Amino acid sequence: MRVLMIAGNWKMNTTISEAIELVGEMLPGLDEIDGVEKVICPPFISLAIVKELIKGSSIRLGAQNLYFEEKGAYTGEISPLMLADLCEFVIIGHSERRQYFNETGEIVNKKLRVALKVGLKPILCIGERLEENEAGRTEEVVTEQLGSSLAGIDYLGDLVIAYEPVWAIGTGKAATGKQSNETIGLIRSHIAKLYNESFAQEVRILYGGSVTADNIAEFVQQSEIDGALVGGASLKADQFLSIVKQTSEIAG
Ligand code: PEP
């Protein structure tokens, strides 16, 4: 049985005081919802204070990125060792990083390796662009991304995968539950080929892309979809609470 997960990616939003306020608004309601793993991923500079604020609660903490070296002369970067001290999860390979920061499959692979080495749980993002989708290349693109991201990695620990069609991120134009269920089924079959069937059945695969309180049910009702990575709607306490609450009700 895969435990459903809802992860909130705050992206480059919230000052430290806004992060404190947002956690204050979410915490009481979120803490009491069971049956769903609840993760929030604030910006790096707020991780330490948010860690204190959620201490003793059922809310888990994640970062949005990391560098692939453990330490050294890499001005401005954040190392996996720094994060392992602060949080449990780390988002790797988000399409915004691939698009704006030229993250290639090789870089994603290095980041995954180091995250697993220091005991962070990666949330690996993959997904096709609009033109790839329209050209019917979705399966080819996601399997290529899986292959390059996971190349040579034997042990994936508690890896979580987020299938995020790039055309659905931040656009208000979500995929349908049926479409994403099919693609996630393909991703799971590909994981079975790369690893084995039992791991493929265990690994959680989330949907991401314009998830809101109005459409979350359509996704988490699907047999292959194990929750959602939520961007914009995770910045609104009432929306995020409703997304988590509906997921918990569907999880039963
Ligand atoms: C994301 O950042 O991963 C995301 C899915 O964003 P949004 O929910 O805003 O589309």
Side-chain angles (χ1 to χ4, degrees):
M1 260 294 273
R2 301 185 296 262
V3 177
L4 298 185
M5 171 189 279
I6 299 292
N9 173 14
W10 294 9
K11 310 195 188 193
M12 197 178 71
N13 295 293
T14 68
T15 59
I16 293 177
S17 52
E18 286 165 348
I20 295 171
E21 198 181 321
L22 186 54
V23 171
E25 285 167 13
M26 288 179 180
L27 185 59
L30 209 50
D31 190 25
E32 63 190 26
I33 305 174
D34 325 303
V36 185
E37 201 159 79
K38 303 153 283 188
V39 182
I40 53 175
C41 305
F44 285 134
I45 60 161
S46 295
L47 285 172
I49 184 70
V50 171
K51 181 184 177 186
E52 284 306 307
L53 294 171
I54 63 175
K55 205 179 212 162
S57 80
S58 56
I59 298 154
R60 315 280 191 87
L61 193 59
Q64 300 172 19
N65 182 29
L66 83 176
Y67 192 54
F68 52 73
E69 296 291 348
E70 291 182 14
K71 61 180 171 179
Y74 302 101
T75 303
E77 290 297 329
I78 301 291
S79 104
L81 293 174
M82 297 170 190
L83 293 179
D85 227 24
L86 277 173
C87 60
E88 192 177 342
F89 294 90
V90 60
I91 298 173
I92 296 182
H94 192 280
S95 65
E96 288 153 12
R97 297 216 55 88
R98 295 180 193 256
Q99 186 179 350
Y100 305 130
F101 303 97
N102 304 318
E103 279 194 13
T104 58
E106 194 185 333
I107 294 174
V108 170
N109 179 268
K110 285 186 181 174
K111 290 187 172 189
L112 272 177
R113 285 171 186 269
V114 78
L116 291 164
K117 181 177 170 205
V118 303
L120 286 163
K121 298 175 182 169
I123 302 177
L124 167 66
C125 301
I126 57 173
E128 82 287 0
R129 297 196 303 264
L130 182 61
E131 61 274 23
E132 294 165 334
N133 179 282
E134 287 174 348
R137 295 184 50 225
T138 299
E139 182 175 0
E140 178 197 332
V141 172
V142 295
T143 54
E144 189 284 318
Q145 287 175 340
L146 276 179
S148 59
S149 307
L150 302 177
I153 305 180
D154 298 329
Y155 174 71
L156 294 177
D158 290 318
L159 175 83
V160 175
I161 296 172
Y163 165 59
E164 300 206 301
V166 179
W167 47 272
I169 299 180
T171 58
K173 193 177 160 224
T176 64
K178 190 166 172 287
Q179 273 173 329
S180 29
N181 195 54
E182 274 170 22
T183 306
I184 289 177
L186 292 169
I187 294 170
R188 201 177 295 288
S189 309
H190 197 65
I191 291 285
K193 280 188 211 143
L194 293 174
Y195 294 88
N196 56 63
E197 186 58 37
S198 82
F199 179 69
Q201 289 308 320
E202 272 167 34
V203 69
R204 286 179 294 179
I205 312 181
L206 315 181
Y207 166 78
S210 296
V211 166
T212 64
D214 293 333
N215 64 17
I216 183 66
E218 179 184 343
F219 295 103
V220 290
Q221 271 160 359
Q222 306 287 334
S223 58
E224 296 290 345
I225 303 181
D226 303 317
L229 179 57
V230 183
S234 71
L235 291 165
K236 296 175 198 124
D238 57 340
Q239 277 272 327
F240 194 63
L241 277 169
S242 170
I243 289 169
V244 175
K245 202 159 188 297
Q246 291 180 59
T247 304
S248 152
E249 283 162 10
I250 288 166

